[in-house]
């Protein structure tokens, strides 16, 4: 089974503006190039280096909030780095998500929605909580250049 990369986003500082991209380099050293959370700091594991969310999970959360919200909240407001469509992300640590020719990301944990989500829209945090709707976090295992439209696969 495979899906497709639908979106790429980054932000360079806490609460900073989100920039969406068509393509980007992702490395073990920096994560998504230019993203605040990508660089692994000394003494840290990098388990929160990169974040991914499913289009289907984002849409399900917004559907709970009502029709008007579905049309007004773009996926990147979640502050995730990558949006994937047509594939279910692993719900357990240790699984590998492959994107494009060479990028490999190890899933490390669930990306629990924080109170910031309710600042964006009341009820968004709760809508993102069931079944890992808030996405997954991971660490980059192998570098890769990725672009919107790239194939996304789960490797065992």
């Amino acid at each position: 089974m495979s899906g497709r990369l639908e979106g790429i986003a980054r932000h360079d500082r806490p609460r900073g503006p989100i920039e969406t991209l068509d393509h980007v380099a992702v490395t073990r050293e920096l994560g998504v190039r230019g993203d605040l959370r990508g660089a692994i700091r000394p003494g840290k594991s990098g388990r929160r280096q990169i974040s991914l969310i499913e289009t289907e999970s984002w849409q399900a959360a917004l559907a709970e909030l009502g029709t008007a919200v579905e049309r007004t909240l773009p996926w990147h407001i979640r502050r995730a780095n990558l949006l994937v469509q047509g594939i279910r992300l692993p719900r357990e640590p240790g699984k590998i998500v492959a994107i494009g020719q060479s990028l490999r990301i190890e899933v490390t944990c669930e990306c629990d929605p924080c109170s910031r989500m309710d600042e964006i829209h009341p009820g968004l945090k709760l809508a993102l909580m069931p079944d890992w709707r808030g996405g997954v976090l991971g660490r980059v295992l192998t570098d890769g250049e990725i672009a919107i439209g790239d194939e996304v696969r789960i490797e065992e």
Side-chain angles (χ1 to χ4, degrees):
M1 263 190 109
S2 67
R4 169 185 147 95
L5 183 62
E6 289 290 315
I8 304 168
R10 65 184 177 194
H11 59 289
D12 63 359
R13 62 187 181 277
R15 296 187 173 264
I18 299 166
E19 177 184 14
T20 56
L21 309 162
D22 293 328
H23 57 87
V24 73
V26 181
T27 66
R28 290 180 68 188
E29 180 184 12
L30 299 174
V32 172
R33 189 171 308 261
D35 188 70
L36 161 77
R37 307 235 183 269
I40 300 175
R41 290 172 177 70
K44 299 291 182 180
S45 69
R47 72 182 203 106
R48 301 177 64 87
Q49 187 177 30
I50 191 165
S51 55
L52 300 89
I53 190 170
E54 303 159 348
T55 298
E56 296 81 358
S57 290
W58 179 248
Q59 290 173 342
L62 294 185
E64 282 189 18
L65 298 175
T67 309
V69 175
E70 287 183 67
R71 289 189 223 116
T72 59
L73 288 181
W75 73 274
H76 53 81
I77 200 82
R78 171 66 178 105
R79 307 189 78 73
N81 297 121
L82 306 177
L83 177 70
V84 302
Q85 183 173 15
I87 193 166
R88 183 174 167 88
L89 294 169
R91 268 49 174 181
E92 60 185 279
K95 297 291 185 179
I96 307 299
V97 177
I99 302 175
Q101 295 296 312
S102 61
L103 180 61
R104 300 294 176 274
I105 300 165
E106 176 189 6
V107 172
T108 57
C109 60
E110 179 178 4
C111 186
D112 294 321
C114 64
S115 58
R116 173 83 193 254
M117 296 301 101
D118 282 340
E119 291 174 21
I120 294 165
H121 189 278
L124 182 57
K125 177 181 176 182
L126 186 61
L128 287 168
M129 291 183 81
D131 190 34
W132 293 46
R133 278 186 191 165
V136 302
L137 294 170
R139 91 174 38 94
V140 177
L141 297 178
T142 59
D143 300 355
E145 293 275 340
I146 58 172
I148 301 245
D150 280 354
E151 182 182 28
V152 178
R153 302 167 309 287
I154 309 302
E155 295 182 346
E156 296 301 320

